[in-house]
Amino acid sequence: MSHSTPATANGNDNKKFKGDRSPCSPSRVLHIRKIPNDVTESEIISLGLPFGKVTNLLMLKGKSQAFLEMASEEAAVSMVNYYTPVPPHVRSQPVYIQYSNHRELKTDNLPNQARAQAALQAVNAVHSGGLTLTTVPGSEGLVIPGHSPVLRIIVENLFYPVTLEVLHQIFSKFGTVLKIITFTKNNQFQALLQYADPMNAHHAKVALDGQNIYNACCTLRIEFSKLTSLNVKYNNDKSRDFTRLDLPTGDGQPSLDTTMAAAFGAPGIISSPYAGAAGFAPAIGFPQAGLSVPGLPGLGPLALTTSAITGRMAIPGMTAIPGHSVLLVSNLNPDVIFPHGLFILFGVYGDVQRVKILFNKKENALVQMADATQAQLAMSHLNGQRLHGRVLRITLSKHQAVQLPREGHEDQGLTKDYTNSPLHRFKKPGSKNFQNIFPPSATLHLSNIPPLVTDEDLKRLFASTGCSVKGFKFFQKDRKMALIQLGSVEEAILALIELHNHDLGENHHLRVSFSKSMI
């Protein structure tokens, strides 16, 4: 992850580009620059598919540009957040993606739109028709019967070592990876990988099966496992449970084989489009490019530990990578922001230790998470979301920790220490909360509801925060839980901040999180 100024955070290496708007507010229409001349419509569509449904496309080949419209703003935000630190490669060329000023694409009367519409229709026919699903990722909302969240992965043509870390990096693109076990069977390197959700496994299988991890070798063969869940006993270089950082390493081995790390550090082994990129930036190019994961020029034996900064993982013995558990949050609304609000919001993705709103620049704050993995999760899910009418910008801070004010030097309550807060969601190792981490969504999951509280009570409570309630339903099996759908993601973020831990009486405090389901 680059520690760069907001100027590069838009993926704009070309400062002279006259349309540069930094930072433009999120839109479901994305502007894609520097596309190769021979690119096809379906290649541009495939950039958006893993993130959700693509609803329109406009190609401006003469200008090497395209506009892609996603079905939802959330999908567009996920896509920009994913591709900003590491631009995707189309036909071996990097392309740059940013939000467009347009809110929707109106292409009905434009010439040459027939091909784009035909490409979109082909994709959508596969989504909605009775055709087999196995050709298109991103078919969200389609429930696929009998699919396991566990994938079995075989790597063929293993000319270079593929580690658990590399698999984690590649597969994290399609959802939260909970567990990985690697082993050798029939002289082949194999792995079992468990996602939080079977839909993630489906998208990953469709997009990655048959792709090469490195140029011209290490081909992925992927199928659904008969197992529905993995049992990991040890966290080491062969197996990892990302929800349980407390597991022993088991075999006394160092977590990374030094010969393997040295091989990775040797320059020139893997073709590198990013000389000097920090760690591993998984440049997953779609069909034409293979999965060119860039090499690690001259990083020596530390090659893979630095990759933990860009991937969402914690290497055993390195759970707290110093200096990378503190986030710099900017573009806050200084009139209405308090440490408690940031504590609750960032607390959805990890255990917040301290929050400091900067005294002389109140639109900025430092948020210290429990470890680097949590910082990465919070950053990837919250960067680009709207809070109090402003688009959040989140980067890794260079600070190792948030300093508390000295005794007697009060800073008007702008710095708060939450180290011993009872509201931490991830204190218990193996807690179910690790499996319920989802991006911000307009639908919230409520739990710990006491028996006497009705749906009307809860709708009134949420309406009192100023949001519009679009839907509500209790879980059939368990009336202690419910889903509530609000008018927008921004409303849901504010409602979560205001009402998580709200006292509903009868000694019940409401628990609020983002939901993966709609009502």
Side-chain angles (χ1 to χ4, degrees), residues 325-327 329 339-340 342-343 346 350-357 365-370 400-405 414-421 424:
S325 58
V326 180
L327 297 169
V329 186
H340 178 77
L342 293 173
F343 165 67
F346 281 74
D351 292 339
V352 176
Q353 306 298 301
R354 292 176 179 176
V355 176
K356 180 191 279 291
I357 293 173
L366 294 172
V367 177
Q368 181 179 341
M369 307 297 287
Q400 306 273 338
V402 169
Q403 300 300 318
L404 293 175
L414 294 176
T415 307
K416 291 277 192 234
D417 185 5
Y418 297 101
T419 314
N420 300 315
S421 168
H424 285 161

Side-chain angles (χ1 to χ4, degrees), residues 67 97 104 107 118 144 189 203 218 237 272 283 302 308 325 386 391 434 441 449 485:
F67 289 89
I97 298 176
E104 58 177 331
T107 55
I144 298 159
F189 178 76
H203 291 164
C218 301
D237 61 333
S272 168
L302 279 174
S325 58
R386 298 179 80 88
V391 178
F434 281 105
S441 56
I449 301 166
Q485 190 167 342

Side-chain angles (χ1 to χ4, degrees), residues 4-6 247 306 353 455:
S4 51
T5 57
L247 289 178
T306 39
Q353 306 298 301
D455 53 349

Side-chain angles (χ1 to χ4, degrees), residues 165 235-236 240-249 255 305 307-309 311-326 369-377 396 400 434:
E165 266 75 29
N235 278 345
N236 53 38
R240 190 79 47 84
D241 182 337
F242 296 95
T243 66
R244 298 269 319 263
L245 302 179
D246 57 322
L247 289 178
T249 55
S255 65
T305 46
S307 75
I309 299 160
R312 293 187 193 166
M313 66 208 161
I315 292 177
M318 293 277 304
T319 43
I321 300 175
H324 293 291
S325 58
V326 180
M369 307 297 287
D371 63 41
T373 311
Q374 294 182 2
Q376 182 67 40
L377 264 179
L396 291 170
Q400 306 273 338
F434 281 105

